[in-house]
Every structure is written in C-alpha cells, then in structure tokens.
C-alpha cells in the first residue's frame, strides 16, 4: 500500500466531474486500499478519488470505526435538513457550517462490484453527501454564504502564504502531530 498526495483547493481535478467505474477490478481495489491508508494517515473520516488526483467515481469513509467503500454512488432519497460544521482534507484548517439532508439513502457498488444500499443519518449521512459532492466537483465552501466563503478563502490564502503547490503530502508523523495539537485544543 502507499500513501497518496492530497490535492488542495486550487487544483483543477477537485472541480472536475468523475467518470463511472465500469469494472471494479484489482486496480480499483488497489486505489481503494491506498485511499484508506491516506485517509487514516490524514485523520479524515472520508476521502474521494479526486482528492488524490484520480477521476474514478469512488470514495472511502470511516464513521464510528466502520469502513465504507462507495463506487458509483447515487443518492436516491433525501430527508430533512441539518446544519453542522464541516472541514475538508483538501482545504485544511478551514471550517464552515453546511446544511445537508438529515437522512439519505445511497445506492452504490462495494469493493467487489456488488450493489448495496445504505440508509444513513447523522455523521454518516453528512459525510456521504460531502464525498458524493467531491465526485461531482463540489466542495463544502460552495454552500457558504458569500461573506463566509470569502472569509474562508482569504484565511486559506493567508495560511498558504504564497505556497502555490496543488498537493500536500501526508506523513504518518504529521498526522500524529496534528492529532496531538487537536488534543491540546
Ligand atoms: O475528515 C473529514 N471530516 C468531515 C467533517 C464533517 C463533514 C465532512 C467531513 S469529510 C472530511 C474528509 C474529507 O475531506 N473528505 O472529502
Ligand atoms: Ni472533502
């Protein structure tokens, strides 16, 4: 397995539509494994293929210690509304409140290419919507009001301090250090 670089805000791949996965083969399963490794190292709860520079329509999630793989996911039912704070591994250290459907039903393929359905609420529902948005070139900042979006983007540019790189490299050590900082807050 290998750690993949994470593409950050400004990288064109994050704004592109993905392509349907025609065949869940060993190459796709390898990508899935690498995405899990990268997501865990980055301390994320979800990761979509465009975030690692790939245009396949798939994402991985881990909510309440349960891993999920969604290939070619589709939201077939949305219910209710709930607003809560979101972040994104592609826009580190930026957070904002996003209103999402409170419950969703998602149809997808698993890592063997078998179809399944997922009835989700709470954090799983939120994360599924966030990841499926990535697969269509959408980011959580797109839902912020104009002023909050502007503030988020200028904070992002300030944090980057002229750094124009379109990827970040996650190392297990960096992840551990970030985790330690989070604990201290
Ligand atoms: O790690 C993540 N946390 C998170 C928190 C609230 C709503 C969505 C997310 S997803 C995010 C990881 C990520 O960027 N996935 O695309
Ligand atoms: Ni994200």
């Amino acid at each position: 397995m290998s750690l993949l670089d994470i593409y950050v805000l400004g990288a064109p791949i994050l704004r592109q539509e993905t392509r349907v996965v025609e065949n869940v083969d060993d190459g796709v399963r390898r990508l899935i494994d690498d995405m899990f490794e990268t997501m865990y190292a980055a301390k994320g709860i979800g990761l979509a293929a465009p975030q690692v520079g790939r245009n396949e329509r798939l994402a991985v999630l881990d909510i309440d210690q349960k891993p999920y793989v969604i290939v070619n996911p589709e939201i077939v039912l949305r219910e209710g509304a709930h607003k809560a704070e979101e972040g994104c591994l592609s826009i580190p250290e930026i957070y904002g409140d996003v209103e999402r459907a409170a419950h969703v039903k998602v149809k997808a393929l698993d890592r063997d290419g078998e179809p399944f359905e997922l009835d989700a609420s709470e954090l799983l529902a939120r994360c599924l919507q966030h990841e499926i948005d990535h697969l269509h070139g959408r980011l959580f900042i797109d839902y912020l009001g104009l002023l909050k979006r502007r503030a988020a983007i200028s904070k992002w540019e300030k944090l980057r301090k002229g750094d124009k790189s379109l990827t970040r490299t996650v190392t297990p050590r960096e992840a551990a250090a970030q985790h330690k900082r989070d604990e201290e807050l």
Side-chain angles (χ1 to χ4, degrees):
M1 293 220 287
S2 31
L3 277 178
L4 306 172
D5 282 350
I6 296 181
Y7 285 69
V8 297
L9 186 63
I13 184 95
L14 293 177
R15 292 310 196 172
Q16 288 161 14
E17 183 61 89
T18 50
R19 63 172 178 84
V20 169
V21 176
E22 299 289 352
N23 235 324
V24 184
D25 56 18
D26 287 345
V28 170
R29 276 186 284 274
R30 188 201 166 111
L31 171 61
I32 288 167
D33 292 341
D34 289 347
M35 285 172 61
F36 270 118
E37 187 183 2
T38 304
M39 177 185 75
Y40 291 130
K43 299 278 172 204
I45 57 173
L47 188 67
Q51 295 182 276
V52 293
R54 302 282 296 247
N55 68 354
E56 286 92 340
R57 189 164 302 166
L58 70 88
V60 300
L61 301 85
D62 191 299
I63 309 286
D64 295 332
Q65 333 249 47
K66 194 170 177 334
Y68 299 87
V69 175
I70 49 171
V71 176
N72 300 338
E74 248 183 274
I75 299 177
V76 294
L77 201 128
R78 296 174 164 82
E79 267 176 8
H82 190 250
K83 199 167 187 170
E85 188 167 79
E86 295 196 12
C88 183
L89 293 173
S90 294
I91 323 173
E93 296 176 72
I94 305 295
Y95 303 92
D97 285 341
V98 180
E99 183 168 296
R100 301 279 190 187
H103 308 274
V104 290
K105 184 188 268 198
V106 171
K107 284 189 182 176
L109 304 180
D110 66 16
R111 62 176 288 130
D112 299 312
E114 294 296 329
F116 71 103
E117 283 186 9
L118 208 49
D119 273 299
S121 55
E122 301 183 351
L123 190 56
L124 179 58
R126 177 166 299 277
C127 197
L128 283 166
Q129 291 170 82
H130 177 114
E131 301 315 332
I132 292 168
D133 268 353
H134 273 300
L135 302 179
H136 300 293
R138 291 189 292 267
L139 301 172
F140 83 88
I141 54 169
D142 302 345
Y143 296 98
L144 304 180
L146 187 60
L147 289 176
K148 284 186 175 163
R149 187 161 69 247
R150 285 235 172 109
I153 290 169
S154 69
K155 184 179 175 195
W156 164 255
E157 284 167 350
K158 211 167 183 172
L159 283 169
R160 301 241 297 158
K161 287 196 192 107
D163 178 2
K164 292 285 194 294
S165 59
L166 294 180
T167 59
R168 56 188 276 244
T169 305
V170 194
T171 64
R173 217 176 90 240
E174 179 195 326
Q178 180 66 51
H179 185 63
K180 188 159 177 294
R181 283 199 297 280
D182 290 346
E183 305 253 277
E184 283 163 3
L185 286 177

